[in-house]
Amino acid sequence: MKRHGYKRLLIIPGLLPENASPQLMDSVCQRIASFVKDACKEGIDVMVEDYDNPRSPCYNTKTLDQLFAASPELNHVFDTGNYLFCGENVMTALRHFRQRIHHVHLKDRKAQRDNASLPIGTGVMPLKEVVGELVRSGYDGWFTIEHFGAPSQLQYTIQSVSNIRAAFAQNQPMKLIPAPVEYTVRSGSVSSDKMANLHQKVRISTKALLRHLEGRKLADWQLKSAYWLEIGKKGVKIEAADEEGVFYARQTLKMMASLDNSVS
């Protein structure tokens, strides 16, 4: 590993016998801890993944806690689908192990304890919540995807990538000035070169604008520059109290188009 410059290693312990004794599990933990300690001296980050077999020493939170207690240097590849398989709550496990998560393995399933894989974001795995929790906590590592037994790896991958990108878009703030009070990202996108040709429906109405504020109190000077902006299949909808709000809404459209070559 040192010769090729590898710095990270996933280890997958073998399966334990049925009804393995606590002493055997302790022995496995100690052997792994010894290996991890030696690897750390060489600058190698060693990780284990939650594994979808009840005989695995890495099957669920309980067994992983035992491994991590024996080896403080050991880190975690967080597999969303395998926590589903063992019947645990994915978000609870994520928060429990967050500080040890050095890699994320996205996998979705039709149901808990169901081996059939689905495109990411189409099953019971809470993709948006997982991505949001990781983004907010500062995770900046790798995400990998798996479609075990998929009838078409290509089609599953295309759909998964689209859903994952949408989840990131929903959880990362747009760099807009001034920052919007809130925004919602839905599926679909429009390329920036088509932004100028979108039909704009403008409505100047304080009453209509206040309906969107849902009880929020704004000073008069704030209300003048406030706006509601919606981009949909039929074009752009702008609602504002006066022309100043319309101006700022259109400036926001220009900034959104300049962020990337598409706006979701």
Side-chain angles (χ1 to χ4, degrees), residues 2-228:
K2 289 181 65 177
R3 184 168 66 251
H4 293 287
Y6 297 137
K7 295 292 185 181
R8 308 167 78 228
L9 176 66
L10 169 65
I11 59 173
I12 302 177
L15 301 180
L16 298 171
E18 294 283 354
N19 303 314
S21 67
Q23 291 78 14
L24 179 57
M25 180 63 181
D26 287 340
S27 175
V28 170
C29 289
Q30 293 307 316
R31 290 199 297 271
I32 290 175
S34 177
F35 173 82
V36 172
K37 187 168 291 187
D38 289 341
C40 284
K41 292 176 183 177
E42 302 296 331
I44 298 172
D45 181 17
V46 183
M47 295 166 280
V48 290
E49 177 184 83
D50 46 305
Y51 192 77
D52 54 353
N53 189 308
R55 292 168 51 202
S56 170
C58 312
Y59 178 56
N60 55 20
T61 297
K62 180 180 178 180
T63 55
L64 283 164
D65 273 342
Q66 191 172 347
L67 273 173
F68 292 138
S71 180
E73 303 92 345
L74 184 62
N75 288 305
H76 190 21
V77 173
F78 185 81
D79 188 309
T80 56
N82 289 349
Y83 277 112
L84 287 170
F85 184 82
C86 75
E88 294 192 1
N89 183 285
V90 175
M91 296 305 299
T92 300
L94 190 157
R95 295 180 182 118
H96 182 71
F97 291 121
R98 173 60 192 91
Q99 297 308 311
R100 289 187 183 268
I101 296 173
H102 284 200
H103 191 103
V104 176
H105 188 175
L106 294 175
K107 183 161 57 185
D108 214 339
R109 297 182 185 270
K110 290 181 180 179
Q112 286 193 334
R113 302 184 185 278
D114 190 320
N115 271 322
S117 292
L118 294 174
I120 310 301
T122 64
V124 296
M125 190 269 286
L127 174 62
K128 179 182 175 182
E129 290 78 6
V130 167
V131 170
E133 185 75 22
L134 289 164
V135 168
R136 287 189 296 273
S137 69
Y139 178 78
D140 61 357
W142 282 89
F143 288 81
T144 56
I145 59 177
E146 178 186 346
H147 309 119
F148 181 78
S152 171
Q153 291 288 349
L154 176 60
Q155 291 304 315
Y156 272 40
T157 299
I158 290 171
Q159 189 171 355
S160 291
V161 169
S162 176
N163 292 341
I164 293 167
R165 284 177 173 168
F168 270 97
Q170 291 171 4
N171 283 290
Q172 291 187 341
M174 290 186 180
K175 298 176 182 178
L176 300 177
I177 303 174
V181 174
E182 66 178 40
Y183 65 90
T184 301
V185 180
R186 300 184 176 92
S187 60
S189 64
V190 56
S191 59
S192 56
D193 59 350
K194 294 182 179 179
M195 288 288 290
N197 298 321
L198 287 175
H199 173 69
Q200 293 186 8
K201 181 179 180 181
V202 178
R203 183 183 183 188
I204 298 178
S205 168
T206 301
K207 184 177 180 180
L209 179 61
L210 289 174
R211 186 174 66 248
H212 295 300
L213 295 178
E214 297 179 344
R216 294 187 184 91
K217 301 295 184 181
L218 295 181
D220 289 343
W221 65 270
Q222 291 175 310
L223 195 60
K224 285 184 64 178
S225 59
Y227 60 88
W228 173 268

